[in-house]
Amino acid sequence: IRNCFLIVIIEHGSMTPTLQPGDRVLVIRFWPTSWLKKGNIVLFWPWVNTIRYNAEPKPFGVIPYVKRVAGLPGDIMVLTIDDLDDYHKNKLIHSYDNYGKKSVIVPKNHFFVRGDFPIGGIDSRIFGPVPKEGILGRVILKLPN
């Protein structure tokens, strides 16, 4: 049982208002990714592709992230540049059209994850869809403080 569950402390505000910094959540580790649905909250490694190809980890690849599943394989995600913070707007503006929009098709065996806080945050809008092998588990419970 010890290997099946993790207690994770939320460190950032990207899941506000659902989860606040300092909140603790219970994660079930061996949740089949085929059971994931939109709206589930997951713990994942955002840099799993860099590990797979022995590449240098990205700056956001220091700890696992907790985000909400917003897109399943085959979904078309329409993104808006105005949902990004100023730093990422300037860095990624070239990948958006003249109207500040971009469409992303979630590949097979991948998930599109987003924080609940509407503006900013680092999620699939920045690093792209997460491969299923990057999903470490599903949040099943917010624990009392």
Side-chain angles (χ1 to χ4, degrees):
I1 244 174
R2 188 178 290 172
N3 293 329
C4 291
F5 297 97
L6 292 171
I7 294 176
V8 175
I9 299 171
I10 304 302
E11 293 189 7
H12 298 94
S14 68
M15 286 299 292
T16 302
T18 307
L19 300 171
Q20 304 288 330
D23 284 348
R24 298 177 313 139
V25 294
L26 184 64
V27 175
I28 185 167
R29 292 195 51 211
F30 300 107
W31 186 269
T33 55
S34 62
W35 293 2
L36 287 178
K37 299 176 184 170
K38 288 181 188 176
N40 290 155
I41 299 174
V42 293
L43 176 72
F44 65 96
W45 296 113
W47 67 95
V48 70
N49 282 329
T50 59
I51 293 170
R52 181 186 308 155
Y53 301 114
N54 291 326
E56 190 66 30
K58 302 289 184 200
F60 48 78
V62 178
I63 59 172
Y65 277 36
V66 173
K67 305 286 182 188
R68 188 176 303 278
V69 175
L72 301 173
D75 286 351
I76 299 172
M77 307 302 297
V78 178
L79 309 179
T80 305
I81 192 78
D82 290 334
D83 287 345
L84 301 178
D85 57 44
D86 289 339
Y87 172 80
H88 289 103
K89 273 184 193 178
N90 293 331
K91 192 171 180 183
L92 299 172
I93 188 103
H94 67 279
S95 64
Y96 286 76
D97 67 17
N98 292 337
Y99 302 103
K101 303 274 186 200
K102 169 170 88 168
S103 294
V104 174
I105 299 173
V106 182
K108 181 179 178 180
N109 297 319
H110 285 69
F111 297 90
F112 197 92
V113 296
R114 285 197 59 173
D116 285 356
F117 195 74
I119 304 292
I122 297 176
D123 52 32
S124 287
R125 296 170 297 170
I126 307 300
F127 50 71
V130 176
K132 73 176 184 177
E133 58 267 22
I135 305 290
L136 301 175
R138 179 176 175 247
V139 173
I140 57 172
L141 181 67
K142 179 179 169 183
L143 299 171
N145 288 337

